[in-house]
Amino acid sequence: MSTTATFYHAGCPVCVAAEQGLAESLDPAKFKVDIVHLGQEKSRVEEAERAGVKSVPAMVIGGQVYHINHGADLAALKA
Amino acid sequence: MSTTATFYHAGCPVCVAAEQGLAESLDPAKFKVDIVHLGQEKSRVEEAERAGVKSVPAMVIGGQVYHINHGADLAALKA
């Protein structure tokens, strides 16, 4: 059974590096990676916020939030 | 051929969560994960610093540093 790992980003260079370096490096036998561009999917900003995401890029796995480096604050994406 | 992913931590709760949630989630077909406890392996603090690690937990993959959340500044581990 695979767990969903949700990777939230905003297309920034820091985000792209984290996507290629980490999000795409998860074990495909264990995880289904859902990549969400919050700049393009504004409707999911609230979902990210509820999950505890404060900045992007961030990965949410099993309810845990992992902020990876710092590209942009989530607040900036709500504007 | 597998790439080494080095996960630097200091035993803090934030570090343990990142280790279990992310470091152990990498694709074993692609990565060999080297887990380094900088509190116990002080001699490797300098190596982490050279790689660009500013705080732990952090993962270094192919020369890229990914700081994951924030447990402790590297400077605090040098004291």
Side-chain angles (χ1 to χ4, degrees), chain B residues 6 8 38 44-55 58-67 74:
Chain B
T6 309
Y8 294 103
L38 290 175
R44 296 188 68 177
V45 172
E46 201 187 312
E47 161 200 312
E49 195 170 29
R50 272 200 311 272
V53 173
K54 307 286 186 205
S55 62
M59 186 119 68
V60 178
I61 304 177
Q64 277 274 351
V65 184
Y66 303 99
H67 295 97
L74 197 68

Side-chain angles (χ1 to χ4, degrees), chain B:
Chain B
M1 202 184 74
S2 73
T3 301
T4 296
T6 309
F7 179 77
Y8 294 103
H9 74 108
C12 56
V14 171
C15 298
V16 172
E19 180 181 338
Q20 294 174 345
L22 270 191
E24 294 176 2
S25 300
L26 296 183
D27 185 350
K30 289 190 196 159
F31 301 97
K32 186 192 155 296
V33 181
D34 183 17
I35 293 180
V36 181
H37 188 316
L38 290 175
Q40 289 167 2
E41 296 186 67
K42 291 272 188 193
S43 63
R44 296 188 68 177
V45 172
E46 201 187 312
E47 161 200 312
E49 195 170 29
R50 272 200 311 272
V53 173
K54 307 286 186 205
S55 62
V56 290
M59 186 119 68
V60 178
I61 304 177
Q64 277 274 351
V65 184
Y66 303 99
H67 295 97
I68 302 158
N69 293 335
H70 186 276
D73 285 324
L74 197 68
L77 298 171
K78 295 167 76 178

